[in-house]
Amino acid sequence: MKPFPEIKLAARQMMFCWKTDQDRAVLERDGRIAWQGSLLPSFELADDDGLPSYTDAMILNVSALSDSHYQIALEFGAFGRGALQVIIETWGIRFTGLEVVWHQPARIVALYFGTKRMTDMQRRAAPSLAKPFWPNWKSEGYCLPCAGTNPTRSFWRFFDMGDSLLPLGSFGDAMGTPYAAAYPRPLYAAAMGGGDGWLSFGPGTIPDAALSLQLRSATACLQYLYREDLWEAPDLLNRSWREPLRLAWGMHGFDAYDRLYQTFPVSGPKSSAHAKSFVCIWGDFKEGRFNLRAITERVSRSAPADMIVLDQYWETCDSSGIPDYDRFPEFDRDIAHMRAEGFEIAVWQSIGWIEQPEAFGLTDKDLLCGADGKPRLWSWSGDPIYGQSYHYCLDPSSERTRAFLTERTRSIVNRLNPAALKLDFGYGLPGPDVSAPRRPELRGERLCSELLKLITGAAKEAKPDIAIIYYGLHPLLHDHFDVINMDDLGDAGDSAAYEAIGHNQRCMWSALAARRGMSINTSTGYYWDALEQILLNTAVVGTNGLTLGAADRAGKAMTASQRLRWLALERWRRPGGGWSPLWLDADFGDVSREPVIRSWGRVESHQGRDRITALALRHASGGEKTFPQLSGIRFTGEWAIIAQDNEDILQCSKLACIPFAPGALTIEGNFEAVIEYRHAEGSATKKVSASDHNGNVTLCISGNDLHEIVGFMVARK
């Protein structure tokens, strides 16, 4: 019998080899294994009586259709046969299709990549015999951006998490997993590896199952959860999957994700008109401060922005779309006042929650129900004991539900004419263990994406230039919204230091989406002391976002220095989205440490050329700091540097320089003027000397200056 071939690919200084006869794949560098495991699919099944079975694939034959295309004939024991299409790409391995024909009717509980039935010896060593199989993907550790908290964590050693189910899509609390907020999910991907490299993996389409990384002791697998033992299967004999798995790899976690995401089409760049700064008044609402006029006056004085976002609580109930006149008796007048003060309006909307469905003509048939036919209730935490504010959840299978979402969205847009809709809680929906849409093609991760598409479509039809704000890094979602919101930092940890750490990590991971054309709004948590570090990274990432209220949990309010930093970015920020990161001083993290950005920049492409257009520079102590990528710039302290046109910072006609800490900034060049901006009132300015006799401009800032100076504008000759 002719031996089955090995499927090999060398890329990124690593070798990937899949020995199909053993179903053993290895990613290695210089003979050291970065990741290993099996790749053939396996299934948990249930018969008509709900009795469980497990089957993993055996290879019957491997046909080489070309040098890079293989068709693998599979057998699933006594259960059925199938075929797997495998293509070797320049960037990695792609499973383009999987087909299965069952010999008897079968209901899929879960599809796995990376599990095998345990041998008798393995069963004797297993910590649990609840299931006959065990995950076999093995590496030094895991990378899942911002999945941990207190402080934010993106990396774990292989034994740190024990038995865990980590959500990769829109199901988090619904799967009993660590919460850690919405952003940057949905990822639809995960990564495993260590010091010798990282492997990233995930589907090439949005799956009709809940996607999770399942960790068991020291190994892992990719789980597609269906639970068709509870829900009607679309076909009991024939099943097919398009693009069920892609594998890409890189030197570190960010590189691995970046290479995987680059295999998807670019959706943007998004319109620069959508890149608007905002103050979200959730920071006030959550503390019971509902005086919209007072909030508007405070924002006008301290943090002027393009938009004020009316967050949760503005409606009579979530998803009603009707202003709560009991809570806001002067709502219409207050909104008019906001507009008179120069603010546009954005409104918060839950993607799938509803209260009092009967008031909107909806019945149980329009809601997500359990196996008992009764509507499920859900809250942000998934806590059935102490949770509060439970909601019913909409099923997009229902035409009445789809009509309700469409009409509600149109009504909001027509009534309030908002500049944006801020959509939320796509992850706040029950998962397949307790509920599923009636239409099988809308199940799993497609539930949230379908709701998102419905709302976006209705909003764009009513107002084509409206911006849709959501979250999620994966390119598969980016056609359905315009701006990524980093989400509030409340889940980064209950301290200013933890919020600064969390925001720093979120900024790094956000670059994965920015280079795919997305616009990004940064945001804050609930501590004012973190604001400077958040704003400094905002100079690179995108536009200002503020979630803080009048006073934080420590009783602090915005300082004079923070106000000037905010005003400077509001005045001189980069427009639009679509950029690539320039890493100057950054640690991408590994299983021994978390990622951190110290100094970095933003690279934009204009007229076919890459240009550095913004920088965030940090140097805590010692002599002047320089970077080889920034010829002619030396600094101490902390600075944001932003080009005011589409030229590189070393050639642009005007360059904004914003201080964030005491220090000095020296820029070489031929300059005609340096304008110093002091305070905000009247935009008072002072002209100071231009280039010295050496052709340099040096800006010096003391601690006291930070309370008076907005920033500097350097004009070239």
Side-chain angles (χ1 to χ4, degrees), residues 224-492:
Y224 295 69
L225 189 65
Y226 286 92
R227 291 305 309 269
E228 289 172 0
D229 53 329
L230 299 176
W231 320 112
E232 180 183 1
D235 192 324
L236 294 173
L237 292 175
N238 300 278
R239 297 297 289 271
S240 64
W241 290 262
R242 185 170 64 90
E243 295 272 358
L245 186 64
R246 293 184 183 185
L247 306 168
W249 49 91
M251 299 300 292
H252 47 75
F254 183 94
D255 188 28
Y257 276 99
D258 193 26
R259 283 179 60 78
L260 182 67
Y261 285 174
Q262 285 188 53
T263 68
F264 295 90
V266 176
S267 61
K270 300 293 185 177
S271 170
S272 60
H274 297 317
K276 296 180 179 180
S277 60
F278 70 84
V279 173
C280 175
I281 51 182
W282 174 246
D284 288 300
F285 281 7
K286 74 181 185 66
E287 300 298 333
R289 297 189 289 262
F290 298 118
N291 187 326
L292 292 180
R293 181 169 288 265
I295 291 172
T296 302
E297 296 302 320
R298 175 178 61 81
V299 173
S300 295
R301 293 192 306 270
S302 60
D306 297 320
M307 297 187 300
I308 290 180
V309 180
L310 303 178
D311 212 274
Q312 190 178 18
Y313 298 157
W314 76 272
E315 305 164 280
T316 54
C317 62
D318 290 345
S319 298
S320 75
I322 302 170
D324 187 344
Y325 288 102
D326 290 335
R327 181 176 283 139
F328 307 104
E330 299 294 332
F331 182 86
D332 296 316
R333 185 178 299 176
D334 290 340
I335 296 303
H337 178 63
M338 286 182 183
R339 288 198 162 99
E341 289 292 303
F343 297 106
E344 293 184 277
I345 305 301
V347 294
W348 178 94
Q349 282 288 279
S350 166
I351 277 187
W353 288 350
I354 189 168
E355 300 168 31
Q356 306 169 11
E358 66 282 354
F360 303 97
L362 301 178
T363 70
D364 292 358
K365 294 181 180 180
D366 309 308
L367 307 174
L368 293 176
C369 294
D372 59 1
K374 297 179 180 179
R376 300 295 302 182
L377 294 171
W378 208 255
S379 67
W380 70 270
S381 68
D383 177 4
I385 306 299
Y386 300 105
Q388 298 178 345
S389 300
Y390 295 108
H391 311 271
Y392 296 100
C393 300
L394 296 167
D395 183 352
S397 306
S398 160
E399 288 303 320
R400 198 157 39 216
T401 289
R402 300 172 76 88
F404 164 74
L405 280 172
T406 298
E407 290 307 314
R408 183 200 69 189
T409 303
R410 288 174 179 165
S411 174
I412 291 171
V413 173
N414 292 333
R415 176 172 189 157
L416 297 177
N417 189 28
L421 295 183
K422 177 178 178 280
L423 305 183
D424 200 359
F425 284 111
Y427 59 93
L429 301 170
D433 282 320
V434 296
S435 186
R438 291 164 178 82
R439 287 171 55 185
E441 67 271 19
L442 300 181
R443 292 176 184 169
E445 303 300 341
R446 296 178 187 174
L447 168 59
C448 176
S449 66
E450 183 69 12
L451 292 167
L452 176 63
K453 285 189 285 185
L454 279 170
I455 296 171
T456 296
K460 295 286 187 179
E461 184 178 343
K463 185 179 180 180
D465 63 345
I466 195 171
I468 306 298
I469 303 172
Y470 193 56
Y471 36 72
L473 291 185
H474 201 284
L476 284 173
L477 277 181
H478 292 167
D479 282 337
H480 309 308
F481 64 102
D482 303 301
V483 180
I484 288 179
N485 178 30
M486 282 196 186
D487 201 41
D488 72 69
L489 291 161
D491 301 292

Side-chain angles (χ1 to χ4, degrees), residues 526-546:
Y526 302 126
Y527 289 92
W528 282 105
D529 281 350
L531 185 61
E532 282 91 348
Q533 292 307 308
I534 289 172
L535 291 180
L536 181 51
N537 283 324
T538 298
V540 172
V541 173
T543 49
N544 305 15
L546 194 68

Side-chain angles (χ1 to χ4, degrees), residues 514-704:
R515 64 181 298 154
R516 313 296 298 160
M518 291 300 290
S519 293
I520 299 171
N521 270 115
T522 65
S523 189
T524 65
Y526 302 126
Y527 289 92
W528 282 105
D529 281 350
L531 185 61
E532 282 91 348
Q533 292 307 308
I534 289 172
L535 291 180
L536 181 51
N537 283 324
T538 298
V540 172
V541 173
T543 49
N544 305 15
L546 194 68
T547 314
L548 281 151
D552 65 17
R553 294 174 177 177
K556 296 184 178 181
M558 178 181 262
T559 67
S561 177
Q562 289 170 338
R563 178 171 178 263
L564 297 183
R565 307 288 79 73
W566 174 276
L567 292 173
L569 285 182
E570 179 68 10
R571 177 179 296 172
W572 294 321
R573 68 186 187 228
R574 289 298 302 167
W579 50 270
S580 295
L582 173 68
W583 306 117
L584 299 171
D585 183 6
D587 186 337
F588 297 105
D590 212 317
V591 294
S592 62
R593 64 195 185 280
E594 289 298 319
V596 62
I597 307 169
R598 288 172 286 271
S599 293
W600 65 315
R602 169 180 177 132
V603 178
E604 300 177 23
S605 180
H606 295 286
Q607 297 178 337
R609 289 179 51 204
D610 286 346
R611 295 169 169 86
I612 303 171
T613 57
L615 296 170
L617 304 176
R618 294 179 175 91
H619 183 47
S621 60
E624 289 183 322
K625 184 75 173 177
T626 62
F627 295 106
Q629 303 96 319
L630 305 176
S631 176
I633 294 179
R634 309 188 302 274
F635 72 98
T636 60
E638 298 178 351
W639 297 84
I641 302 178
I642 306 173
Q644 297 301 290
D645 55 31
N646 288 332
E647 296 298 326
D648 191 276
I649 58 172
L650 300 178
Q651 286 87 39
C652 62
S653 60
K654 291 184 178 181
L655 188 64
C657 302
I658 308 168
F660 279 79
L665 173 67
T666 298
I667 306 174
E668 298 177 6
N670 192 11
F671 302 99
E672 65 177 5
V674 177
I675 309 299
E676 180 184 276
Y677 287 77
R678 286 182 173 268
H679 306 295
E681 292 75 8
S683 298
T685 64
K686 174 184 176 184
K687 185 171 182 178
V688 298
S689 60
S691 301
D692 62 18
H693 62 280
N694 293 318
N696 302 331
V697 160
T698 298
L699 310 173
C700 296
I701 289 291
S702 68
N704 290 333

Side-chain angles (χ1 to χ4, degrees), residues 4-5 7 59-66 68-74 82-87 96-97 99:
F4 298 149
I7 296 177
I59 294 180
L60 295 176
N61 184 47
V62 180
S63 302
L65 304 181
S66 71
S68 60
H69 186 185
Y70 296 84
Q71 179 172 286
I72 302 177
L74 304 174
L84 180 67
Q85 303 291 329
V86 180
I87 293 181
T96 58
E99 296 180 353

Side-chain angles (χ1 to χ4, degrees), residues 75 508 701:
E75 183 176 60
M508 188 188 83
I701 289 291

